[in-house]
Structures are given as structure tokens and as C-alpha cells.
Amino acid sequence: MNPGFWQRAWRHRSFMLGACLVAGVLGVALLSLLWQPYPPGELNIPHKLQGPSSQHWLGTDSLGRDIAAQLMVGAQSALMVGLLAVGWGLCIGLGLGLLAAARRGWVDELLMRAVDFGFAFPALLTAILLAAAQGPGLGTSIIAIGVFNIPVFARVTRAAALNVWARDYILAARLSGLGRSAITASHVLPNIAAPLIVQATIQCALAILAEAALAFLGLGTQAPQASWGRMLADAQLQLFNAPLLALWPGLAIAITVLGLNLLGDGLRDVLDPQLRHRH
């Protein structure tokens, strides 16, 4: 990133707030790899449904498990699914979009019809199919959400790449003898990086929401691994006796998704100052 990027980012309130929220969640996830107040799966029935205290900062659930420890470890699951699902969806979608924009013609038409077909399989439907075939789990969530991200990134990549292919410097590169692959690697890909980064940030927020929904429905992360969505599913049984059980995982999801959305909006404006001025 050039110095101008950091100067604009520092002055952009949405970007800074989003970055702070995301950094906080990431810091909690990294901390949980080294230290936890209690083992997240440790049962302590005599101390179940306790409120916040000096021993259990956020209280305990219906099985006496420490809520703070579960939230910390649940951040690992949420970020892992977000990064891995979006990452491999981006890699495959990027390749398809670049190929469609570079080749055009029947190749473009064939790839885009396949991408449109991919939109017919949302993450929930794919997760149900995978759970029926190989059982629910964290891997099921990653594959299901990643499959849904492929057509999203393919469409975004193709649209941005077609805009670059229409530029005069691309024509000059073709007249100089460069092939389509070389032009794609040296000219197209660097110039579409900004919208892809913004889209990846927003898709990561959606992936975390989808992971929580799948875990809530029993299709995603399974016990004894902690998950914010599974914490919400357990909390609904105690909603009137201990409403705080639903508050903490819901707040964690809201903060993470809000941070990523603010970061994505901030990146969009910071990476394209002209867009910010139009707004």
C-alpha cells in the first residue's frame, strides 16, 4: 500500500472503527490459542446458569460451561470459516472470472451460465446435501459457504476485468505482442485487486453469519467444539430463565459482522477516493 492509502485510511472513521473491531475479534481468537479462563467444554453442573462473577466473567451456561471461554474459542471457528470459505471461493471465482473476461465468446458464455447455475445452491442447501452425505461439521460449513462464494467472485471479477480490458493501455499491450495470459497477469489482475479486496471483506462477514446459522441448525460446528451459533441454539432453551446466554454470542456475531462491513465500506472509499468524493 502507498503512503496515500494510509493517510486516507487514518482519516476515514468507518475504516478505523471497522479495523479496530475486527482487530479486537482477531486478537481474542489468537489469545484463545494460548490462554482460556476455563476449558470451553468443561462441565460444572453444580454451578450452571450462574450470572457474571469474578470467577466466571460472563457467567455459565445450562451445563456449567464458562461462557467467556466458549466465546473466545468460538471466535476461532467463526474466523476460520470466514477466511477459508471466502479464500477458496475467491481463488476459484477469480480464475473463472479472469478466464471469461480474457477469452470472451463461447468460453465466457459457458462459464457465466455455469456460474448462474451455482447461484441456485445457497449455503444452507449445500450444507444440507453435504450433511446428508458425510455428516455435519466445520468442514461442511467451509465447503458449503465456499461453494456459494465462487459465483459471487466470478461475477465481480468478470465485470471488473471487462472494464480493464476496454482500456487503451490494454490495446497498446496487445499491439506490442503480449498474449492474453501475460496481459491478465501484468495489467488486469493488479487493476482489479481493490474491488476484490472489498468484496472479500463483505463476503467474510456474510460467511460468519452463515456459519452461525448452520451451527444453530445443527449442520455446522459440532460439540465439543465451541461455536457462537451453537451457543445461540443452546441458549434458546433457557431464554426466559437466563436471557444473557443469548446476549453474549449474539453480541459477538453482531460486533464481528459490523466490524467487517464497516471495514469493507471504508476500504471501498479509501481505495477509490473519487468514489468517496461522489458520495
Side-chain angles (χ1 to χ4, degrees):
M1 298 292 182
N2 55 54
F5 169 85
W6 295 113
Q7 293 174 3
R8 294 192 299 271
W10 184 257
R11 294 193 300 265
H12 198 287
R13 287 177 294 180
S14 175
F15 177 88
M16 293 304 300
L17 179 57
C20 290
L21 292 176
V22 173
V25 175
L26 181 59
V28 169
L30 293 176
L31 176 62
S32 67
L33 296 173
L34 304 175
W35 175 84
Q36 302 153 12
Y38 293 92
E42 183 179 59
L43 305 183
N44 191 355
I45 302 299
H47 296 87
K48 67 179 182 179
L49 297 178
Q50 287 189 345
S53 64
S54 58
Q55 290 185 330
H56 300 282
W57 304 331
L58 301 179
T60 59
D61 66 4
S62 58
L63 297 176
R65 296 172 296 191
D66 185 75
I67 295 176
Q70 291 189 73
L71 286 176
M72 293 175 67
V73 178
Q76 296 180 26
S77 301
L79 293 178
M80 183 186 302
V81 171
L83 293 175
L84 292 180
V86 172
W88 79 270
L90 170 62
C91 291
I92 298 176
L94 175 65
L96 294 176
L98 288 175
L99 180 60
R103 293 299 178 184
R104 302 298 301 274
W106 67 268
V107 175
D108 180 19
E109 189 69 20
L110 179 62
L111 290 176
M112 288 304 102
R113 297 296 75 76
V115 164
D116 291 340
F117 180 74
F119 278 117
F121 292 90
L124 178 58
L125 177 59
T126 306
I128 293 174
L129 295 174
L130 290 173
Q134 64 179 26
L138 186 63
T140 297
S141 296
I142 294 174
I143 295 174
I145 299 171
V147 167
F148 181 73
N149 275 304
I150 292 174
V152 173
F153 284 110
R155 278 291 182 184
V156 172
T157 300
R158 176 183 178 272
L162 286 177
N163 185 41
V164 175
W165 276 99
R167 302 293 177 85
D168 291 338
Y169 60 84
I170 296 295
L171 178 59
R174 296 182 67 178
L175 292 175
S176 67
L178 284 179
R180 293 181 182 269
S181 299
I183 292 175
T184 298
S186 59
H187 295 289
V188 177
L189 188 55
N191 284 287
I192 66 172
L196 288 177
I197 292 172
V198 174
Q199 189 66 40
T201 306
I202 295 173
Q203 291 303 122
C204 192
L206 296 176
I208 289 174
L209 272 178
E211 188 276 333
L214 293 176
F216 181 86
L217 295 173
L219 299 171
T221 307
Q222 300 295 299
Q225 188 171 4
S227 167
W228 294 340
R230 210 161 45 76
M231 290 177 68
L232 283 174
D234 296 339
Q236 70 175 340
L237 302 176
Q238 305 290 338
L239 193 58
F240 295 103
N241 297 329
L244 286 179
L245 291 182
L247 173 64
W248 301 124
L251 192 60
I253 295 171
I255 289 174
T256 305
V257 172
L258 175 63
L260 285 167
N261 280 326
L262 288 175
L263 183 61
D265 289 342
L267 278 172
R268 179 194 60 195
D269 295 342
V270 171
L271 292 172
D272 188 356
Q274 294 181 354
L275 179 62
R276 181 182 60 184
H277 293 322
R278 287 200 296 269
H279 286 293

